[in-house]
Every structure is written in C-alpha cells, then in structure tokens.
C-alpha cells in the first residue's frame, strides 16, 4: 500500500484534526495538528505496545481493535494494521451531560 | 517399663542411622518425675509414638539442610576455574551467533480495516464514565489492602 493510499481514508474521517502513520522505524506520514509530531508518535507507540500486551484468558490476540485516549476537547484513536500504527486526533464533541 | 523394647519393636525395618536421634537424649529411659500417678498402660506407647515421630521429623530436617560450610571443602584450583570460565564463554559466543537477536515485541495486527475502525463512533461518554468509576473503585480497594501482623514471623524452636 502506498503512503497516499494509507492516508486517503484518514483524511475523510469525521472531526479529524490530524493523523500519524507510524512504523517500527518511525513516522511514515503525518498531517494537521499532528504534522511532524514525533513526540506524540513516540508516546502513542509506547501506549499501544503496552496495551497490546494485555490478553484475556484463553485468547491469543489482543482483546481490542482500537485504543482511545480521551481528553476533554479531543480524542486520539489508535489502531494497528499491517505493522503500522495509525493515530487520528479527533474532535471530542461529547461532553458531560448536564444533570438536572 | 517396656518403653525401651516397644520402641525397638515398632521400628524394626528402619535404618539404624535414620532412627538415631540427632540430639542424643540425656536419659532415654528416664522415668517421669516421681509422684506422678498418671502412668497408665497406654501412656508408654503414646510416648514412644511421640518420640518416633520426633525422630523422623529431625531426620527429615537433617536431610533437607544444605551445609554451606561443607561446600567450601570442594576447592577449585585457580587454573580449573579459568578453564571453566573459558569453556563457558566459548559456548556462549557460539550460541549467541546462532540465536536471532530478540527484537522488541512485534506489533500485533488489531484490524485489517484501519480506516473504518478509526472513523467509527467515539466511545459513549457514559461508558467512559463507568470505566473511570470502576477504576477508581479498584484503586481504592487496592490501596486499602494491608498486612495485619498478629504473631512473630520468626519463632524459636524449643530445642533443648
């Protein structure tokens, strides 16, 4: 898959503020608020490595498809496919419901 | 008192070394203090059983002890030591070239459709809130685990 093919779909994600495509060797592609953000790339790589070590009993695969790092105004959604880590920064439009 | 004989009769098959007490009894056929009238026919055999049990416990304990001071007697010559060190390092060098370098854990494949996974709806706020609550409970529970010391960890055995 070429880099353009990898990122084309990411551009169309609703509310996306930026993205990163990372391989074992480093950042392959970046855009928006995450453009050239090596620091975030490193942190996300470590987090996804740590998370993927968790296993449910009797299961060989990591028990999740996507990791969400939820902050007040935005969310980092992370997944791994074909030895590449995809990070998309999305606007968090969900807020604490006002309790009446 | 048939104490002495009954002891021999009950353990005829035992190795003499095994039944030999580690700490010799000062007076093996000692009578209970005078003036005690609790000696009935059943007491000597109970006492013998107790002693046999004690002896077997002592023997087992002795077998499990690793005498570190005795290991010093097997001294290794300086050149033997060097030879062994060389032998081990040669072996290691051979093995390390044949073994593949252990890489950092390979990334697992979480999905074959990354774009769909990333574009799907965000986790509902209520779910996040619930997970946060559960984590807070778990943290609180773990922080309340404590050791309640009731008795000494190290006790002295009453060995005469």
């Amino acid at each position: 898959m070429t880099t353009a093919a990898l990122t084309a779909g990411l551009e169309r994600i609703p509310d996306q503020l930026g993205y990163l495509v990372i391989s074992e060797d480093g950042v392959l592609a970046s855009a928006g608020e995450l453009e050239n953000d090596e620091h975030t790339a490193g942190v996300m790589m470590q987090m996804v490595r740590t998370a993927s070590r968790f296993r449910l009993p009797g299961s060989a695969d990591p028990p999740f498809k996507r990791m969400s790092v939820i902050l007040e105004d935005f969310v980092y959604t992370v997944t791994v496919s074909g030895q590449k880590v995809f990070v998309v920064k999305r606007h968090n439009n969900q807020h604490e419901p006002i309790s009446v | 008192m048939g104490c002495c004989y009954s002891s021999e009769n009950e353990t005829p098959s035992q190795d003499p070394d095994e039944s030999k007490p580690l700490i010799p009894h000062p007076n093996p056929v000692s009578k209970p203090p005078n003036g005690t009238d609790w000696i009935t026919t059943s007491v000597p055999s109970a006492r013998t059983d107790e002693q046999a049990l004690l002896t077997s416990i002592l023997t087992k304990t002795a077998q499990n002890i690793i005498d570190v001071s005795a290991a010093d007697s097997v001294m290794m010559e300086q050149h033997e030591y060097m030879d062994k060190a060389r032998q081990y390092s040669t072996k290691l060098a051979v093995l390390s070239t044949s073994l593949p370098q252990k890489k950092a854990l390979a990334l697992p494949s979480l999905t074959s459709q990354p774009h769909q996974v990333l574009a799907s709806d965000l986790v509902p706020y209520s779910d996040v809130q619930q997970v946060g609550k559960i984590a807070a409970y778990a943290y609180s529970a773990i922080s309340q685990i404590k050791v309640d010391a009731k008795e000494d960890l190290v006790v002295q055995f009453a060995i005469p």
Side-chain angles (χ1 to χ4, degrees):
Chain A
M1 216 191 283
T2 63
T3 312
L6 285 172
T7 60
L10 300 176
E11 302 270 6
R12 290 197 295 272
I13 290 173
D15 300 324
Q16 69 99 1
L17 301 168
Y19 61 80
L20 283 162
V21 182
I22 319 160
S23 77
E24 299 268 5
D25 306 316
V27 177
L28 295 178
S30 66
E33 291 182 20
L34 294 179
E35 193 165 4
N36 299 322
D37 194 344
E38 298 274 350
H39 177 71
T40 303
V43 173
M44 289 299 156
M45 200 69 173
Q46 265 182 296
M47 285 180 83
V48 82
R49 274 191 192 283
T50 303
S52 63
R53 282 207 296 270
F54 294 125
R55 293 288 187 279
L56 290 178
S59 163
D61 300 316
F64 67 100
K65 284 186 179 176
R66 185 178 80 176
M67 178 178 84
S68 300
V69 183
I70 302 167
L71 293 108
E72 199 178 335
D73 296 327
F74 51 87
V75 181
Y76 291 109
T77 57
V78 187
T79 194
V80 189
S81 183
Q83 296 296 300
K84 290 177 197 70
V85 177
F86 295 78
V87 182
V88 176
K89 186 176 178 177
R90 291 173 66 178
H91 179 69
N92 189 6
N93 47 18
Q94 302 186 95
H95 284 285
E96 196 168 349
I98 302 150
S99 48
V100 184
Chain B
M1 228 168 103
C3 188
C4 187
Y5 295 108
S6 60
S7 169
E8 280 174 8
N9 291 342
E10 273 179 29
T11 57
S13 58
Q14 272 192 326
D15 187 1
D17 270 356
E18 202 176 303
S19 58
K20 198 177 83 185
L22 286 175
I23 302 159
H25 199 283
N27 187 4
V29 283
S30 68
K31 284 184 188 172
N34 286 335
T36 51
D37 45 358
W38 45 265
I39 312 166
T40 62
T41 46
S42 70
V43 170
S45 86
R47 195 180 154 81
T48 312
D49 284 352
E50 223 171 78
Q51 277 193 336
L53 200 64
L54 179 66
T55 310
S56 77
I57 291 169
L58 282 173
T59 313
K60 272 183 200 150
T61 312
Q63 281 168 348
N64 288 333
I65 288 173
I66 299 167
D67 191 353
V68 182
S69 62
D72 284 345
S73 61
V74 191
M75 280 293 285
M76 211 191 275
E77 292 288 329
Q78 179 73 15
H79 67 89
E80 275 183 276
Y81 178 78
M82 298 298 281
D83 280 350
K84 273 200 187 294
R86 204 173 303 123
Q87 196 187 329
Y88 289 144
S89 50
T90 319
K91 194 88 180 167
L92 273 176
V94 171
L95 286 175
S96 63
T97 50
S98 62
L99 281 172
Q101 283 293 315
K102 198 180 178 187
K103 277 179 69 178
L105 200 68
L107 286 165
S109 199
L110 302 183
T111 176
S112 53
Q113 286 135 353
H115 301 149
Q116 278 96 314
V117 167
L118 292 171
S120 59
D121 289 344
L122 295 177
V123 182
Y125 184 79
S126 57
D127 286 8
V128 177
Q129 216 172 18
Q130 193 177 4
V131 169
K133 209 183 282 177
I134 292 166
Y137 283 145
Y139 177 78
S140 158
I142 288 168
S143 66
Q144 284 170 48
I145 295 174
K146 62 177 171 139
V147 176
D148 191 4
K150 287 217 167 123
E151 49 191 82
D152 289 343
L153 197 60
V154 178
V155 292
Q156 289 287 327
F157 284 117
I159 295 170

